[in-house]
């Protein structure tokens, strides 16, 4: 149980910090949208504003998501959950967490596949590609890793930003959500044992 408590403290603290930092993404998003409105009204439309706003929204949502889970402010379909006792809620959460872990695992794998595609991996799975990329980096440095990366995907818009940074943020955000879900599971286990967190 000491290991669970340590994990909970570490993950909750990390996601609290990242989530609080991600909140500033909302101010960045407001600034981008304000600039977009001003530039459309008085100048020419800015090419970068739409995609940048979308990228900031993805980062804000996915990096803030674990913090939202921690606070219990995530969206939940509640048919009978609110009517249950705290102990029954803990049982229900502990049971349903396995479905969420599977879902997040599939999402992380898909995110890694999309990230690998953005870095030029058109054949094979993402895990062998990233293994090869890491091995090349460790043995030959950035130049060797650059040789593993073939084609770098760009957006199809006229601005054409590279896509791998936002796909990397997506994978990191999903992984942080998985870590937070495990933290919440450990909290449920401790509650079911009658222990304080």
């Amino acid at each position: 149980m000491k290991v669970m408590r340590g994990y909970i403290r570490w993950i909750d603290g990390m996601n609290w910090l990242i989530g609080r930092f991600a909140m500033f993404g909302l101010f960045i998003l407001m600034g981008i949208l304000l600039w977009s409105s001003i530039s459309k009204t008085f100048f020419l439309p800015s090419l970068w504003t739409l995609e940048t706003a979308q990228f900031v929204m993805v980062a804000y949502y996915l990096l803030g998501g674990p913090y939202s889970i921690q606070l219990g402010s995530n969206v939940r379909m509640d048919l009978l959950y609110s009517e249950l006792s705290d102990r029954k809620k803990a049982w229900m959460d502990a049971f349903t967490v396995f479905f969420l872990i599977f879902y997040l695992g599939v999402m992380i794998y898909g995110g890694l596949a999309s990230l690998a595609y953005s870095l030029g991996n058109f054949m094979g799975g993402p895990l062998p590609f990233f293994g090869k990329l890491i091995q090349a980096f460790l043995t030959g440095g950035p130049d060797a890793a650059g040789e593993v990366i073939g084609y770098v995907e760009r957006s199809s818009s006229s601005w054409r930003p590279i896509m791998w940074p936002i796909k990397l943020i997506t994978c990191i955000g999903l992984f942080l959500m998985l870590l937070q879900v495990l933290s919440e599971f450990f909290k449920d286990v401790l509650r079911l044992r009658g222990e304080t967190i």
Side-chain angles (χ1 to χ4, degrees):
M1 296 307 141
K2 188 176 180 182
V3 173
M4 281 186 189
R5 289 177 195 282
Y7 179 86
I8 290 168
R9 275 195 301 276
W10 187 73
I11 295 300
D12 283 6
M14 178 183 65
N15 281 332
W16 180 87
L17 184 65
I18 292 170
R20 302 288 279 201
F21 182 72
M23 286 184 201
F24 289 107
L26 190 59
F27 296 108
I28 295 168
L29 179 61
M30 287 188 307
I32 291 168
L33 295 176
L34 180 65
W35 173 254
S36 178
S37 298
I38 291 170
S39 69
K40 285 178 187 175
T41 304
F42 297 109
F43 316 113
L44 293 173
S46 299
L47 292 176
W48 60 270
T49 55
L50 178 63
E51 280 178 314
T52 304
Q54 291 171 342
F55 292 168
V56 171
M57 278 190 279
V58 167
Y60 170 72
Y61 175 75
L62 288 171
L63 295 177
Y67 182 57
S68 171
I69 292 170
Q70 184 183 118
L71 295 177
S73 60
N74 52 313
V75 176
R76 179 191 314 255
M77 191 172 112
D78 186 1
L79 298 176
L80 66 119
Y81 187 83
S82 61
E83 303 299 321
L84 298 175
S85 67
D86 287 342
R87 186 166 177 79
K88 288 181 181 174
K89 285 180 183 176
W91 273 110
M92 182 175 261
D93 289 340
F95 172 71
T96 59
V97 76
F98 296 106
F99 298 105
L100 187 54
I101 289 171
F102 174 75
Y103 173 75
L104 286 171
V106 170
M107 292 288 291
I108 290 168
Y109 185 83
L112 288 173
S114 183
L115 176 61
Y117 175 82
S118 289
L119 296 173
N121 180 40
F122 303 117
M123 295 161 58
L127 300 180
F129 172 76
F130 286 114
K132 190 172 159 184
L133 182 66
I134 291 167
Q135 181 182 11
F137 181 78
L138 293 176
T139 57
D143 290 337
E147 290 177 15
V148 173
I149 298 171
Y151 164 82
V152 177
E153 179 189 19
R154 292 185 170 272
S155 169
S156 60
S157 72
S158 54
W159 183 43
R160 298 192 40 78
I162 55 174
M163 297 300 292
W164 71 262
I166 195 62
K167 291 183 178 185
L168 178 62
I169 288 173
T170 300
C171 293
I172 291 169
L174 289 168
F175 183 68
L176 291 174
M177 279 189 204
L178 179 63
L179 294 178
Q180 187 62 47
V181 165
L182 288 173
S183 175
E184 298 304 311
F185 173 70
F186 291 152
K187 290 175 192 176
D188 290 329
V189 169
L190 291 174
R191 278 190 206 102
L192 289 170
R193 291 175 56 94
E195 299 180 28
T196 57
I197 299 168

